[in-house]
Amino acid sequence: MSTIGRKLMQVWTGIGTRYLPFADAATPELPLSRLLRLSLFQITVGMAVTLLVGTLNRVMIVELGVPASIVAVMVALPLLFAPFRALIGFKSDNHQSALGWRRVPYIWKGTLLQFGGFAMMPFALLVLSGGGESGALPTWVGQLGAAVAFLLVGAGMHTVQTVGLALATDLAEPEARPKVVGLMYVMLLLGTIVSAFFFGWLLADFTPAKLIQVIQGAALTTMILNVLALWKQESRHPRRGAQRHDDDPSFVEAWRHFVGNGNQVVRRLLTIGLGTAAFTMEDVLLEPYGGQVLGLTVGDTTKLTATLALGGLFGFGLASKVLSRGMDPFRMACYGALVGIPAFIFVIIAAPMNSPFVFAAGVALIGFGGGLFGHGTLTATMNLAPPNQAGLALGAWGAVQATAAGLAMALGGILRDLVQAFVTWHPWTHWISIPATGYVFVYLLELVILLAAIAAMVPLIGRQARRVPA
């Protein structure tokens, strides 16, 4: 590194340690420049989340005319691989490679899956919408093509993120690992924010050609950034490919030990699932809600994803500062769930008030509460992980979170369609047959799930068995 570059990095490190959450995770063995380069894989994951959950669900429902139930199922398909995140992390822990790598082969395969899914996705979506000459094709052709594209992106995204976080854990010193993982999630939120604004700008004047360019540009960007993130990060150990340990525990044995360690793992995972479902059921509905009920444009509603992520970033930053002073992580997660209650109330009353500002405030609060909740549960998971099982614990946290999010998003879209169809069809409910009815029903259900998460979480407050040194 040049003298000027080294001085700039020193200045950036000094500023970051004081003002940026988790920037003090850098160590002499893992400098901030290398850590930030490694975090590029989180940028690509955030970009994928923005496309799948934010931009594409609005485009499919409003511009392409695809039913919300089909869109919700398509957006939820990538999360079918979420339950396998713990297994993926465990396999990468014990991978036997002739090249001496454990993590790199998995991250590379995940990157290829993401690239392939994005490459075919725009054409599959246009066929799914039935526009142009594709209207002559059977309906199942478009549905199958879109499903395969979403599945490929989901498989790649979960593989890259799970193994990438495991690689970050390998590179960091034990006392810095929770901070490193936290920094990775901050970079995920930053990637979501930047890509949301960028996609919103590109799709301000929507055309099918622009949709193709944006998604395939995302495919190329994913490939480039992930290669840069991996470059010279994991050391090669040639003997590792020949090593076999018969006494290594199987995944089932490791999982049984993890669940049975006496730290209320099942209750913790249930709490994570309930809270995540409450904060994500609306993900596929916020942008259509803004478009159909409040009359917002594609560019305006895409920026809602950035607003959600920005709220999450502030929540994550505040939680980092407070938790470093010793607050119980589950208490912080409980505060996040409590913030979600007024957040959804704001989103609901935005329709009768016809106020985009109130709607945006509610969206920001949803992100803020979700950030507090996510950081609290992540910190508790890392603090309570058994020895030598931090990767498995992190994979379990991600698996439950992503699975709950996928099921919640699919259920949210389906319930919205069913409720809207019922109030339109039934003669007794014509008086509430307005575009906002189905959306409001889902938001009210999320309030109920938030209360259930709080009830499940209260017995966990103050029950941490041990803490990772700060």
Side-chain angles (χ1 to χ4, degrees):
M1 182 183 294
S2 65
T3 303
I4 297 177
R6 186 161 44 249
K7 290 182 178 180
L8 288 175
M9 186 55 63
Q10 290 174 353
V11 172
W12 172 251
T13 303
I15 295 175
T17 302
R18 184 174 180 183
Y19 295 106
L20 297 179
F22 302 107
D24 56 346
T27 62
E29 296 78 13
L30 185 61
L32 187 58
S33 58
R34 184 180 178 188
L35 187 57
L36 290 175
R37 182 166 61 84
L38 176 61
S39 68
L40 290 176
F41 78 87
Q42 286 287 70
I43 299 291
T44 66
V45 172
M47 181 174 59
V49 171
T50 299
L51 272 176
L52 299 183
V53 178
T55 305
L56 291 183
N57 87 81
R58 150 73 197 239
V59 167
M60 285 190 286
I61 292 175
V62 179
E63 273 68 35
L64 300 181
V66 180
S69 56
I70 294 180
V71 173
V73 171
M74 291 294 175
V75 173
L77 280 176
L79 295 164
L80 287 177
F81 292 91
F84 300 102
R85 287 180 65 143
L87 177 61
I88 291 170
F90 175 80
K91 289 291 187 182
S92 70
D93 286 339
N94 300 277
H95 182 63
Q96 306 295 334
S97 171
L99 296 176
W101 283 321
R102 291 188 302 163
R103 314 296 188 187
V104 169
Y106 281 89
I107 299 176
W108 177 243
K109 291 176 183 177
T111 300
L112 292 178
L113 290 172
Q114 273 186 273
F115 179 85
F118 279 137
M120 65 180 294
M121 184 175 291
F123 306 104
L125 294 182
L126 294 177
V127 173
L128 177 65
S129 68
E133 297 182 1
S134 64
L137 297 173
T139 304
W140 63 266
V141 173
Q143 294 175 349
L144 178 61
V148 170
F150 277 87
L151 284 172
L152 288 175
V153 172
M157 183 172 60
H158 288 298
T159 301
V160 167
Q161 187 177 53
T162 300
V163 184
L165 291 175
L167 176 58
T169 303
D170 293 341
L171 297 176
E173 295 296 322
E175 62 274 9
R177 285 173 183 172
K179 295 179 181 179
V180 169
V181 173
L183 174 62
M184 292 295 148
Y185 272 89
V186 169
M187 296 303 292
L188 172 68
L189 292 175
L190 288 176
T192 303
I193 294 170
V194 172
S195 59
F197 279 113
F198 192 64
F199 293 148
W201 173 65
L202 290 176
L203 294 173
D205 298 319
F206 175 82
T207 63
K210 284 188 177 181
L211 180 66
I212 295 173
Q213 293 171 350
V214 167
I215 298 179
Q216 293 197 332
L220 181 59
T221 303
T222 296
M223 179 68 71
I224 294 173
L225 293 184
N226 283 355
V227 170
L228 289 175
L230 281 180
W231 188 256
K232 293 185 178 181
Q233 294 283 8
E234 185 179 22
S235 300
R236 291 182 58 191
H237 299 280
R239 292 185 179 181
R240 183 183 292 154
Q243 292 176 347
R244 294 293 186 272
H245 300 285
D246 295 334
D247 58 343
D248 286 344
S250 66
F251 174 74
V252 174
E253 293 171 341
W255 179 257
R256 286 176 179 172
H257 176 69
F258 173 65
V259 173
N261 67 359
N263 284 331
Q264 300 191 43
V265 173
V266 175
R267 178 179 284 272
R268 287 193 282 123
L269 295 179
L270 175 63
T271 298
I272 293 169
L274 288 174
T276 301
F279 278 113
T280 55
M281 186 176 288
E282 84 293 337
D283 274 1
V284 297
L285 301 178
L286 286 178
E287 295 200 25
Y289 181 77
Q292 293 183 339
V293 178
L294 299 176
L296 302 179
T297 65
V298 176
D300 291 335
T301 56
T302 299
K303 293 174 184 177
L304 290 174
T305 304
T307 303
L308 187 70
L310 189 61
L313 181 60
F314 278 108
F316 229 78
L318 177 62
S320 172
K321 185 175 181 179
V322 175
L323 288 173
S324 65
R325 299 174 179 175
M327 173 179 275
D328 183 273
F330 282 114
R331 189 180 298 275
M332 177 61 69
C334 191
Y335 288 156
L338 290 173
V339 169
I341 294 176
F344 285 108
I345 292 176
F346 279 11
V347 171
I348 291 172
I349 65 176
M353 294 178 63
N354 194 27
S355 174
F357 175 78
V358 173
F359 179 48
V363 172
L365 281 177
I366 291 174
F368 182 72
L372 297 179
F373 179 84
H375 193 298
T377 56
L378 173 60
T379 302
T381 300
M382 295 302 296
N383 287 352
L384 296 170
N388 303 319
Q389 285 192 326
L392 179 61
L394 184 62
W397 178 84
V400 172
Q401 187 188 53
T403 302
L407 293 176
M409 284 190 290
L411 182 62
I414 293 171
L415 286 177
R416 181 267 170 191
D417 279 1
L418 290 177
V419 171
Q420 198 65 41
F422 178 80
V423 298
T424 302
W425 165 78
H426 202 281
W428 291 359
T429 55
H430 278 318
W431 62 280
I432 57 172
S433 180
I434 57 175
T437 303
Y439 296 105
V440 170
F441 177 85
V442 175
Y443 301 149
L444 290 174
L445 178 60
E446 288 179 285
L447 289 174
V448 174
I449 299 175
L450 276 177
L451 296 175
I454 294 171
M457 203 183 323
V458 169
L460 297 173
I461 297 177
R463 290 179 175 252
Q464 290 205 74
R466 64 183 182 89
R467 295 184 63 87
V468 174

